[in-house]
Amino acid sequence: MSELFARRMGTVHRSFIREILKVTADPEIISFAGGLPNPDLFPLESMDRASREVFANIGASALQYSTTEGDAGLRTIIAERYAKRGLSVSPDSILITTGSQQILDIVAKVFLDKGDKVVIERPGYLGAIQAFSIFEPEFVAISLESDGPDLAELEQALQQGAKCFYAVPNFQNPSGVSYSLEKRKAVAKLMDTYDALFIEDDPYGELRFMGEDLPSVYSFREKPGILCGSFSKIAAPGFRIGWVVAESPFYEKLVIAKQASDLHTSTVAQAIMRRYLETNDIESHVGLIKERYGRQRQHMVDMIQQHFPSVVNITEPEGGMFLWAALPEGVSSMDLFDIAIKDKVAFVPGRPFYVDGTGENTFRLNFSNSDEQKIEEGIKRLGSSISTLLD
Amino acid sequence: MSELFARRMGTVHRSFIREILKVTADPEIISFAGGLPNPDLFPLESMDRASREVFANIGASALQYSTTEGDAGLRTIIAERYAKRGLSVSPDSILITTGSQQILDIVAKVFLDKGDKVVIERPGYLGAIQAFSIFEPEFVAISLESDGPDLAELEQALQQGAKCFYAVPNFQNPSGVSYSLEKRKAVAKLMDTYDALFIEDDPYGELRFMGEDLPSVYSFREKPGILCGSFSKIAAPGFRIGWVVAESPFYEKLVIAKQASDLHTSTVAQAIMRRYLETNDIESHVGLIKERYGRQRQHMVDMIQQHFPSVVNITEPEGGMFLWAALPEGVSSMDLFDIAIKDKVAFVPGRPFYVDGTGENTFRLNFSNSDEQKIEEGIKRLGSSISTLLD
């Protein structure tokens, strides 16, 4: 019956990362492969209390169908949190989504025709590549430098008719790279000049351990943009609550696409998240996460410097959950993966993050979900795997 | 910036029903327009208890990312419930979705190329029309008779190359019509003969007030089909938990499409639903719903017979949440809607349920979400509106 499949399914694959997570189910393996936040930091008691209060105070309407746009109170809180960080956004421009993955799906529905040119960072976020692929665009990969995208490559892509640019300017997944202030402004200007769409994904922006918070590219735009946010990394991902900020006329179309996709995001999940935010100080909770992840990131960088051969280059991210490593040119991180699994340590090889099939020598390490002891032992093991490979 | 929109967005519209719900926000209006289950019947206390137990017993992992396929325990319970009703299904063939609306989206992603012919009942379910429209198929509407689809029209559509048939064989939304046993078998056979895909949506099948439960069309197929289910009508919709049953190779592709759409359905919502099902007798809860909806349905039928002019024809559904009315040919239910709103009663005009633009004289009435007193008063008002219109 496979002749019934749509043509697009020939080019869309299961997430390679999710496949790796199966390999790494062995409890003896120290895994830096996942992209999971640290569950020890989930505000479990506060969420439990928020949940009880939702059942007691809101009752049946928390279990009923609700509006596609999302809970009005939750949208107001999101707008207020942006205001604190200097961005003025109306709650009416915020659409609640089923995690920020869903934003990518509905943005693709609204904007991508088959064959449209979509610019993406090299390496780029796998979830976006997967979501967009369903709509059969042509990806144009541009180099990601240590301070953001190569602007000449971006401009060239726009000159050649690219319709949009999807990027993660803060502590990017997979690379950990953040855009400098200058590049943020320059990207905004280029997108304005070419009337192109900038899809700004920002799940990690609040998790900065060092350096200074920088404004979104969205805030520098003169024309409408798309800004994506999520509670997955600052509260907990299991609720599947993200949001997209977009002005009219984008907003209305995104609502239509969201409605066709799943009617609305879980009413119960939204009610619990709203109550949690109303009755807890999430800023101090985010402070805890930053303190912990910052320590873990520092320890991973330190251990890499001690245990990796010096030919391996890494990024040193100022926030987020990931750092990025490059083996010497011509060395394959897939080969390293096979050795590392035998040495009981795992990571994600870089290839799937490159839409142009390059990146063979790179790999991603997650530092958010391992304590310092595991980081020490895991990086030792991985250093030894690398030495084996390079020998 | 609207030149950035994908071509598909030109033909996809916001749900007309959701727009109507805004008009009917006036508390003086008795509304038979919505498609809401009765919130008085939500198992609020049991869900509250289930939720507490999830926080106490499962803890942080209930707030973490989880698998795309869905909670294994929940899938087992769904399989066991099918087994009780005589259908043998493996938990490995069940994929948990964010409500059953999402099934329509992922099925369209997996199966529909632009221009593919999709057979749909006339009238047909609006959510499916909306979800499929994103993928730009060509709809072929076939007549829905009192015992199911016109089989000659179905065969003709299949002969002309239709790829799939989407249908709601039990107590259809909007018409309330159910397929007879003979038509179920005949549809299964036709779909097998033409190697076509049958997408069987069954959110209401357990809500039968009278007559005998009938097997799914899925159960009569010799080739793989798609069977959709939901907890929205038998527990509560605010969790957004549906599921799709599909064998390999359909299953794997649906998982890929689901992953690209929102990674996975809310872990918390799934955990609460699972715990609720493990610690409560949902069958007796469903019994309560059937008893109540059955009474409300009967009262609506009785009141219509008393208060509607005899030229109005209605279906007399054996289950579900809706019944369907037809004014004399040439009379517009949109005109009736305008009068009815002034008379403080609302319903959904039939036109949007017809992909071929017919159905002008029809309308849908919901009986699940109004008590008998409201039904009596609302149907009186609507009878008077009809008389005004026909005068």
Side-chain angles (χ1 to χ4, degrees):
Chain A
M1 304 284 280
S2 49
E3 68 284 0
L4 288 172
F5 293 134
R7 283 184 301 269
R8 73 177 70 83
M9 293 312 287
T11 57
V12 180
H13 303 286
R14 258 181 102 93
S15 160
F16 181 65
I17 295 186
R18 296 208 142 217
E19 296 310 302
I20 285 185
L21 295 185
K22 293 187 180 165
V23 179
T24 59
D26 174 356
E28 283 185 24
I29 288 183
I30 294 178
S31 177
F32 304 126
L36 301 184
N38 191 328
D40 294 348
L41 292 166
F42 292 162
L44 194 63
E45 276 176 45
S46 306
M47 286 293 185
D48 183 11
R49 202 167 46 242
S51 169
R52 286 162 196 254
E53 288 167 359
V54 162
F55 279 98
N57 304 341
I58 303 183
S61 69
L63 307 189
Q64 186 58 287
Y65 285 112
S66 56
T67 64
T68 301
E69 289 83 350
D71 184 283
L74 183 60
R75 291 155 67 204
T76 300
I77 293 169
I78 294 167
E80 287 166 356
R81 297 192 72 240
Y82 274 122
K84 279 188 206 159
R85 289 177 286 145
L87 183 66
S88 171
V89 162
S90 160
D92 294 337
S93 305
I94 294 170
L95 167 64
I96 304 294
T97 58
T98 305
S100 71
Q101 180 71 23
Q102 186 179 53
I103 308 173
L104 307 175
D105 179 58
I106 63 175
V107 162
K109 282 176 173 147
V110 170
F111 294 101
L112 298 189
D113 282 315
K114 183 174 175 173
D116 277 350
K117 286 199 175 86
V118 173
V119 182
I120 192 156
E121 297 154 315
R122 183 175 57 207
Y125 174 55
L126 208 55
I129 296 171
Q130 207 188 2
F132 295 164
S133 290
I134 295 268
F135 298 89
E136 304 177 275
E138 183 190 321
F139 288 111
V140 181
I142 62 170
S143 305
L144 192 56
E145 301 166 331
S146 62
D147 63 345
D150 182 312
L151 296 172
E153 290 182 27
L154 176 57
E155 180 149 25
Q156 191 184 14
L158 292 169
Q159 273 168 352
Q160 288 169 4
K163 187 177 203 172
C164 66
F165 176 24
Y166 167 84
V168 186
N170 289 316
F171 326 123
Q172 192 230 27
N173 178 359
S175 68
V177 162
S178 290
Y179 290 17
S180 66
L181 184 62
E182 294 65 37
K183 284 216 168 163
R184 287 166 198 251
K185 289 179 181 169
V187 168
K189 196 163 176 193
L190 277 172
M191 303 313 286
D192 281 339
T193 303
Y194 288 90
D195 278 329
L197 183 71
F198 188 60
I199 307 162
E200 182 166 16
D201 200 355
D202 189 27
Y204 312 108
E206 298 187 50
L207 303 182
R208 176 180 281 280
F209 324 134
M210 51 187 71
E212 212 178 322
D213 276 335
L214 294 174
S216 58
V217 174
Y218 183 91
S219 69
F220 294 119
R221 291 293 306 273
E222 284 176 6
K223 293 183 180 160
I226 300 277
L227 178 60
C228 316
S230 171
F231 287 111
S232 292
K233 311 305 190 288
I234 58 172
F239 291 91
R240 309 305 300 125
I241 301 182
W243 66 85
V244 55
V245 182
E247 304 288 334
S248 183
F250 294 172
Y251 187 82
E252 292 76 8
K253 297 285 185 190
L254 290 168
V255 170
I256 292 173
K258 159 79 180 164
Q259 195 169 85
S261 302
D262 66 357
L263 294 184
H264 62 81
T265 294
S266 166
T267 321
V268 192
Q270 289 186 75
I272 297 173
M273 186 61 76
R274 172 183 172 174
R275 185 73 189 170
Y276 165 75
L277 293 165
E278 284 170 345
T279 54
N280 291 273
D281 178 8
I282 191 173
E283 313 311 333
S284 82
H285 180 71
V286 171
L288 282 181
I289 300 174
K290 293 201 295 192
E291 190 276 323
R292 179 86 75 95
Y293 287 7
R295 261 194 290 131
Q296 290 170 187
R297 171 264 184 210
Q298 191 55 48
H299 200 59
M300 186 174 272
V301 169
D302 292 346
M303 290 301 103
I304 286 174
Q305 280 162 356
Q306 274 188 45
H307 299 288
F308 278 15
S310 61
V311 291
V312 180
N313 287 312
I314 59 160
T315 58
E316 298 191 18
E318 298 184 323
M321 299 180 12
F322 304 102
L323 65 77
W324 190 245
L327 298 162
E329 282 295 334
V331 177
S332 163
S333 64
M334 287 298 298
D335 294 342
L336 177 61
F337 185 79
D338 294 337
I339 299 171
I341 287 296
K342 285 181 198 127
D343 292 341
K344 303 286 182 198
V345 59
F347 58 84
V348 181
R351 258 282 283 286
F353 300 98
Y354 289 78
V355 291
D356 59 2
T358 63
E360 187 70 31
N361 62 319
T362 62
F363 60 95
R364 187 188 80 175
L365 295 171
N366 168 269
F367 53 75
S368 62
N369 199 17
S370 304
D371 62 25
E372 284 156 284
Q373 205 186 335
K374 275 202 174 151
I375 287 173
E376 182 153 351
E377 177 58 26
I379 293 296
K380 266 187 204 164
R381 292 181 191 174
L382 188 53
S384 148
S385 312
I386 296 172
S387 299
T388 306
L389 177 70
L390 296 181
D391 265 359
Chain B
M1 301 285 281
S2 49
E3 68 283 1
L4 288 172
F5 293 133
R7 283 185 300 269
R8 74 178 67 84
M9 295 311 288
T11 57
V12 179
H13 302 285
R14 257 182 103 94
S15 159
F16 181 66
I17 295 185
R18 296 206 142 218
E19 297 308 305
I20 284 184
L21 295 184
K22 292 187 180 166
V23 179
T24 59
D26 174 355
E28 283 185 23
I29 288 183
I30 293 177
S31 177
F32 304 126
L36 301 183
N38 190 330
D40 294 349
L41 292 166
F42 293 161
L44 194 62
E45 276 176 44
S46 307
M47 287 293 184
D48 183 12
R49 202 166 48 241
S51 168
R52 286 162 196 254
E53 288 165 359
V54 163
F55 278 98
N57 304 341
I58 304 183
S61 69
L63 307 190
Q64 187 58 288
Y65 285 111
S66 56
T67 64
T68 302
E69 290 83 351
D71 184 284
L74 183 59
R75 291 155 66 205
T76 300
I77 293 170
I78 293 168
E80 287 165 358
R81 297 193 71 239
Y82 275 122
K84 278 188 209 159
R85 288 177 287 147
L87 183 66
S88 171
V89 161
S90 160
D92 294 336
S93 305
I94 295 170
L95 167 63
I96 304 293
T97 58
T98 305
S100 72
Q101 179 71 24
Q102 187 181 49
I103 308 172
L104 308 175
D105 179 58
I106 64 177
V107 162
K109 280 174 174 149
V110 169
F111 294 102
L112 298 188
D113 281 314
K114 184 175 175 172
D116 277 351
K117 286 200 172 87
V118 173
V119 182
I120 191 156
E121 299 154 313
R122 184 176 55 208
Y125 174 54
L126 208 55
I129 296 171
Q130 207 189 4
F132 295 164
S133 290
I134 294 270
F135 298 90
E136 303 176 273
E138 182 189 320
F139 288 111
V140 181
I142 63 170
S143 305
L144 191 57
E145 299 165 334
S146 62
D147 63 345
D150 181 312
L151 296 171
E153 291 182 26
L154 175 58
E155 181 150 25
Q156 190 184 15
L158 293 168
Q159 274 168 350
Q160 289 169 1
K163 186 177 205 174
C164 66
F165 176 25
Y166 167 84
V168 186
N170 289 316
F171 327 122
Q172 192 230 26
N173 177 0
S175 69
V177 162
S178 288
Y179 290 18
S180 66
L181 183 63
E182 294 65 36
K183 285 217 167 162
R184 285 166 200 252
K185 290 178 179 168
V187 168
K189 196 162 178 196
L190 277 173
M191 303 313 287
D192 281 339
T193 305
Y194 289 90
D195 278 328
L197 183 71
F198 188 60
I199 307 161
E200 181 166 15
D201 200 355
D202 189 27
Y204 313 107
E206 298 188 49
L207 303 182
R208 177 180 280 279
F209 325 133
M210 52 187 72
E212 213 178 321
D213 275 336
L214 295 173
S216 57
V217 174
Y218 183 92
S219 68
F220 294 119
R221 290 294 304 273
E222 285 176 8
K223 295 183 179 159
I226 300 277
L227 178 59
C228 316
S230 171
F231 287 112
S232 293
K233 311 304 190 290
I234 58 173
F239 292 90
R240 308 304 302 123
I241 301 182
W243 66 85
V244 55
V245 181
E247 303 289 334
S248 183
F250 294 172
Y251 187 82
E252 292 76 8
K253 296 285 185 190
L254 290 168
V255 170
I256 292 173
K258 159 79 179 164
Q259 193 169 86
S261 301
D262 66 357
L263 296 184
H264 63 80
T265 293
S266 166
T267 321
V268 192
Q270 289 185 75
I272 297 173
M273 186 62 76
R274 173 184 173 175
R275 184 75 190 168
Y276 165 75
L277 293 164
E278 283 171 347
T279 53
N280 291 274
D281 178 8
I282 190 173
E283 315 310 334
S284 82
H285 180 70
V286 172
L288 281 181
I289 299 174
K290 293 201 296 193
E291 190 274 323
R292 179 85 74 94
Y293 288 6
R295 260 194 291 131
Q296 291 170 188
R297 172 266 185 211
Q298 193 54 49
H299 200 59
M300 188 174 272
V301 169
D302 292 345
M303 289 301 103
I304 286 174
Q305 281 161 355
Q306 274 188 44
H307 298 288
F308 277 16
S310 62
V311 290
V312 180
N313 287 313
I314 59 163
T315 58
E316 298 192 18
E318 298 184 324
M321 298 179 13
F322 303 103
L323 66 76
W324 190 246
L327 298 163
E329 282 294 335
V331 177
S332 162
S333 65
M334 286 299 297
D335 293 343
L336 177 60
F337 185 78
D338 294 336
I339 299 171
I341 288 295
K342 284 183 200 128
D343 292 342
K344 304 286 181 197
V345 58
F347 58 84
V348 181
R351 258 280 285 286
F353 300 98
Y354 288 78
V355 292
D356 60 1
T358 62
E360 187 71 30
N361 63 319
T362 62
F363 60 96
R364 188 187 80 176
L365 295 171
N366 167 269
F367 54 77
S368 61
N369 199 18
S370 304
D371 62 24
E372 284 156 284
Q373 204 185 336
K374 272 201 177 155
I375 287 174
E376 181 153 351
E377 176 59 26
I379 293 296
K380 265 189 206 165
R381 291 182 193 174
L382 188 53
S384 148
S385 311
I386 297 173
S387 299
T388 305
L389 178 69
L390 296 181
D391 265 358

